[in-house]
């Protein structure tokens, strides 16, 4: 088993956190894992992507380069590049609250979820990334709820217990949400 993931959004949307949680969840399962990041020069709002390769075997090439089999586009600005970087046979998860026009790409399955709208209804737009993480888990099964819940507890638990509770709800909401394939 090997997955190449690209979690993309605008700075501040939590794409790097999605990558970090994936890494921590993979480590909990004793997978091999590598993470890299790219981001714009802006302090807030620039494009940001967290790349993760996870595998049950040694990772020879840690680069995700237009061959992600699991990708997330949280914002309109990053969507075209993320779609382009999703490999044939891959799945792209799209935040349909912010991505206005979903463009078909042959061989790429696109799953739409209004993550930002769902997050606002839950209490904070800042948990849209975790709602989307739940959808990724539901569809790909690359990790389980317990893996990411453990990673969230490691990351937020001691410092921000109220955020942990909201994010665990967000993760469950994403895993239980009806998804629209486009």
């Amino acid at each position: 088993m090997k997955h190449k993931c690209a979690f993309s959004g605008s700075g501040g949307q939590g794409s790097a956190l999605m990558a970090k949680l994936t890494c921590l969840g993979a480590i909990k399962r004793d997978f091999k894992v590598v993470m890299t990041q790219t981001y714009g020069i802006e302090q807030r709002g620039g494009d940001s992507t967290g790349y993760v390769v996870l595998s049950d075997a040694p990772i020879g090439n840690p680069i995700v380069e237009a061959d992600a089999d699991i990708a997330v586009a949280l914002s309109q600005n990053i969507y075209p590049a993320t779609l382009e970087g999703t490999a044939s046979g891959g799945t792209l998860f799209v935040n349909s609250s912010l991505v206005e026009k979903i463009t078909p790409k042959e061989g790429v399955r696109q799953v739409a979820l209004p993550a930002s709208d769902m997050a606002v209804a839950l209490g904070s737009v800042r948990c849209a990334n975790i709602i989307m993480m739940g959808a990724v888990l539901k569809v790909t099964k690359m990790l389980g709820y317990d893996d990411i819940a453990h990673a969230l507890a490691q990351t937020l638990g001691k410092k921000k217990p109220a955020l942990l509770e909201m994010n665990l709800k967000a993760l469950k909401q994403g895993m239980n949400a009806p998804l629209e394939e486009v």
Side-chain angles (χ1 to χ4, degrees):
M1 176 277 303
K2 182 177 184 179
H3 291 291
K4 288 186 165 191
C5 308
F7 301 101
S8 303
S10 295
Q13 283 189 301
S15 57
L17 179 60
M18 292 177 77
K20 178 181 178 178
L21 294 173
T22 300
C23 288
L24 291 172
I27 289 167
K28 180 181 180 288
R29 300 259 307 262
D30 288 326
F31 290 140
K32 313 296 188 251
V33 64
V34 178
M35 178 184 158
T36 58
Q37 285 179 255
T38 62
Y39 45 88
I41 59 171
E42 302 88 347
Q43 283 186 336
R44 278 270 196 226
D47 294 342
S48 171
T49 301
Y51 299 98
V52 177
V53 179
L54 66 99
S55 178
D56 55 2
I59 297 169
N61 181 358
I63 297 171
V64 179
E65 193 170 56
D67 63 349
D69 63 310
I70 299 169
V72 172
L74 292 172
S75 67
Q76 179 65 54
N77 286 348
I78 199 71
Y79 171 75
T82 308
L83 177 60
E84 186 176 311
T86 305
S88 182
T91 303
L92 172 57
F93 296 84
V94 181
N95 181 359
S96 58
S97 299
L98 301 179
V99 176
E100 296 169 8
K101 184 174 188 255
I102 297 175
T103 308
K105 179 180 175 184
E106 189 169 332
V108 174
R109 176 182 179 199
Q110 294 188 64
V111 177
L113 181 68
S116 293
D117 294 340
M118 292 170 67
V120 168
L122 192 60
S124 174
V125 73
R126 295 187 62 172
C127 63
N129 60 329
I130 304 303
I131 289 172
M132 191 62 83
M133 188 84 226
V136 169
L137 297 179
K138 175 181 181 175
V139 172
T140 69
K141 313 257 188 280
M142 76 172 166
L143 296 169
Y145 171 84
D146 290 340
D147 301 316
I148 300 301
H150 181 267
L152 279 165
Q154 266 186 287
T155 305
L156 301 174
K158 291 178 184 171
K159 296 183 278 185
K160 302 175 182 175
L163 283 180
L164 174 60
E165 185 178 330
M166 177 180 280
N167 279 283
L168 290 173
K169 286 180 185 175
L171 185 62
K172 283 183 182 176
Q173 191 171 30
M175 292 186 82
N176 295 323
L179 305 171
E180 178 187 347
E181 244 184 272
V182 287

